[in-house]
Amino acid sequence: MTRYYRQTRMLVAIDCIIFGFDGNDLKLLLIKRGFEPHKGKWSLMGGFVQPGQSLDDAATHTLKQLTGLEGVYMEQLFAFGDPKRDSAERTISVAYFALVDINQYTQQLNNNNYRAEWVSLKKLPRLIFDHVNMVHLAQERLRYKAAIHPILFELLPARFTLPQLQLLYEAVYDNEFDKRNFSRKVLSTGLLIKLKEKERTTSKRGAFYYKLDKRKYNAKFDAFLNFITDPGKL
């Protein structure tokens, strides 16, 4: 096998920033690290890229191995390569972020051996290495993507109310939106189908359920273009 002369080998890792929404709060899926360095401390889901794996394959494998999750929305975020980021060995980490409907995957997460826990982004614990930088960058990317694409529906159940959708956007942007303007802009996209049933646990009057029109969602992924231009004015 031909090898590059006098080049130092280094490890390539995958770290997954997994966002979930519980109906009120935006959360992050974390584990307690099971090996040194930093054993027992909070960490993102991660693993090493194996020979023969592409980065995307490694990310998919890591996600399934540690959480049992598969088929969720996931995209590559950034590569982190500070020479001193990992005290054990020189390791470059390629970060991915994923969006998960918490309630849909409760069973898979309860059955894994890594004791994964959902933690509120408002109460984020100290994380190992540069993982907090990964999380902050993922939040920025999520806000940018959500302003031009309807990707936040990946965090919602199959049917939802407009108040639930607004709570999600407010959690992502950490900002309060005007109820009437928000509803008007969301409905104007034509991506939602109004259902006959109402959600009545939060009020006697109730709020109608909606579902995403998957056909329009896939055909017109740019339908939310410029949806969030100025959060303060929504």
Side-chain angles (χ1 to χ4, degrees):
M1 175 185 287
T2 302
R3 299 176 71 91
Y4 291 108
Y5 185 57
R6 291 184 177 177
Q7 296 303 309
T8 303
R9 310 299 156 189
M10 60 188 70
L11 299 173
V12 179
I14 294 292
D15 284 298
C16 298
I17 302 108
I18 306 170
F19 293 114
F21 182 64
D22 65 359
N24 293 291
D25 203 6
L26 190 63
K27 295 188 173 183
L28 186 68
L29 192 61
L30 301 175
I31 58 172
K32 291 289 185 72
R33 187 170 165 95
F35 53 91
E36 297 292 352
H38 303 302
K39 182 178 181 179
K41 295 188 178 178
W42 288 109
S43 169
L44 295 172
M45 306 286 177
F48 292 101
V49 179
Q50 300 302 314
Q53 280 185 327
S54 69
L55 293 175
D56 288 353
D57 287 344
T60 300
H61 175 77
T62 296
L63 193 65
K64 181 169 176 54
Q65 181 184 41
L66 296 183
T67 66
L69 303 181
E70 56 184 336
V72 302
Y73 181 95
M74 183 165 60
E75 68 173 74
Q76 190 179 124
L77 176 64
F78 195 72
F80 293 79
D82 189 305
K84 298 180 180 180
R85 62 173 302 276
D86 190 328
S87 58
E89 291 189 59
R90 176 70 197 279
T91 304
I92 295 172
S93 179
V94 181
Y96 283 72
F97 79 89
L99 305 179
V100 173
D101 172 8
I102 288 179
N103 298 316
Q104 185 177 350
Y105 293 98
T106 300
Q107 184 174 353
Q108 289 95 318
L109 294 173
N110 286 341
N111 290 336
N112 74 80
N113 296 321
Y114 296 92
R115 298 191 299 277
E117 294 185 32
W118 288 107
V119 178
S120 171
L121 281 167
K122 296 178 181 179
K123 301 178 181 179
L124 199 64
R126 183 183 297 273
L127 303 178
I128 66 170
F129 304 145
D130 50 4
H131 287 190
V132 69
N133 296 334
M134 295 181 183
V135 173
H136 290 160
L137 186 61
Q139 285 182 276
E140 291 179 9
R141 176 72 65 84
L142 181 60
R143 287 168 180 167
Y144 170 77
K145 295 279 290 191
I148 59 177
H149 299 299
I151 64 171
L152 294 190
F153 288 105
E154 302 289 343
L155 292 162
L156 290 170
R159 62 175 194 167
F160 50 85
T161 65
L162 291 182
Q164 288 171 339
L165 181 61
Q166 182 170 339
L167 282 174
L168 170 58
Y169 271 86
E170 290 179 340
V172 168
Y173 287 96
D174 193 22
N175 204 329
E176 291 186 4
F177 297 158
D178 178 80
K179 182 178 179 180
R180 290 186 178 180
N181 285 343
F182 182 86
S183 297
R184 177 177 53 80
K185 286 197 172 186
V186 168
L187 294 176
S188 70
T189 66
L191 291 177
L192 303 187
I193 299 174
K194 188 176 183 178
L195 304 177
K196 294 181 180 180
E197 300 87 353
K198 281 188 174 184
E199 191 277 324
R200 298 184 182 277
T201 59
T202 56
S203 69
K204 291 183 179 180
R205 184 179 179 182
F208 280 104
Y209 280 111
Y210 288 80
K211 69 177 182 179
L212 184 65
D213 187 325
K214 294 292 183 67
R215 182 180 59 82
K216 290 184 179 179
Y217 175 76
N218 294 325
K220 300 180 180 180
F221 196 67
D222 291 337
F224 271 32
L225 189 63
N226 295 326
F227 176 58
I228 305 291
T229 52
D230 184 351
K233 293 182 179 180
L234 281 178

